[in-house]
Amino acid sequence: MKTWLARHAQTLVGSLGRLAQQPVAAGMTVAVIAVALALPLFLDVLLQNTRAVTADWNQAFELSVYLTKKASAERATALAKQLRARADVAGVRVITADRAFADFRETSGFGKALDMLDANPLPNTLIVTPTLAASTPEGTTILKTSIGSLPDVEVVQLDTEWVQRLNAMLEVMRRVVWLTGSLLGLSVVLVVGNTIRLDILNRRAEIEVMKLVGATDGFARRPFLYSGVWYGLGGGLGAVALVAGAVAALARPLEHLASLYGSQFHLEGLRLGSSARILAIAIGLGWLGSWIAATRHIRAVEP
């Protein structure tokens, strides 16, 4: 076991040494991989921040309960007390018809026209806020149906279409990230594969000598597999560094823009789990590209 580990460790270090002997070519390959992986990773960071910003919006369901004209303010208060006792209701605000009429008069600019009305046309209204557990499209729909069946309730309005559109757009963004990542991941495999192919052609004579003394295809292939691992690791680290730099460059301007709208938004950078995941993916893609190229081309080398 120790001999096996020592042999593989020696091959791993040796493959790194070979890459160090050609720093320009190896650096360009690593840079291409880093740029290819940085784009989907940056899109994923933006998607995570978008979900964080809109997390509270998904809970912003409120039901406007309009009572019938014959329902008095006292009836509205009693109904609000009844609704507050429900397990799926976090709070209820009562907006009396007189208060609503006064607010409308103040903000609409139609004060003189409103004076011509014989009676207040606005009903008493309740604003019902569901609990966190019930703040879902399904939960609020059930609550809407239940409230709508109560006496003296004329209309219950629940506007969740904008939230559904938002969630649909976020789902499209998530699929775009996965699609972009898949296509660029394929490009990483092709870049590494082509690089390993050229390396095999440059070392063809060495591989022929190895096969003459009895080396198997697997033995001759091993250093190239480790080269692919190094390419992937370097590209993954480069992608993490590029995204971290981009987040640092955008953090202050975005926070300033958010403060102008009264928001305390802070741009979140790469999480440790995301960084580890992209490194693992990069190493896997590098190994896959090198395995495909090395398996095919080393098999074709015959002394």
Side-chain angles (χ1 to χ4, degrees), residues 202-220:
N202 292 333
R203 297 170 58 185
R204 183 183 180 90
E206 178 185 340
I207 297 172
E208 289 178 351
V209 172
M210 293 172 61
K211 287 194 172 185
L212 278 174
V213 297
T216 63
D217 287 350
F219 181 84

Side-chain angles (χ1 to χ4, degrees), residues 58-63 83 86-90 128-148 156-160 163-164 167:
N58 290 328
Q59 312 302 333
F61 298 105
E62 283 188 339
L63 295 89
L83 292 176
R86 293 178 59 104
D88 54 355
V89 172
V128 180
T129 304
T131 60
L132 187 62
S135 294
T136 62
E138 296 80 9
T140 48
T141 299
I142 294 174
L143 183 59
K144 174 184 176 181
T145 303
S146 178
I147 295 177
V156 181
Q157 286 189 349
L158 173 62
D159 184 13
T160 60
V163 178
Q164 294 172 354
N167 290 331

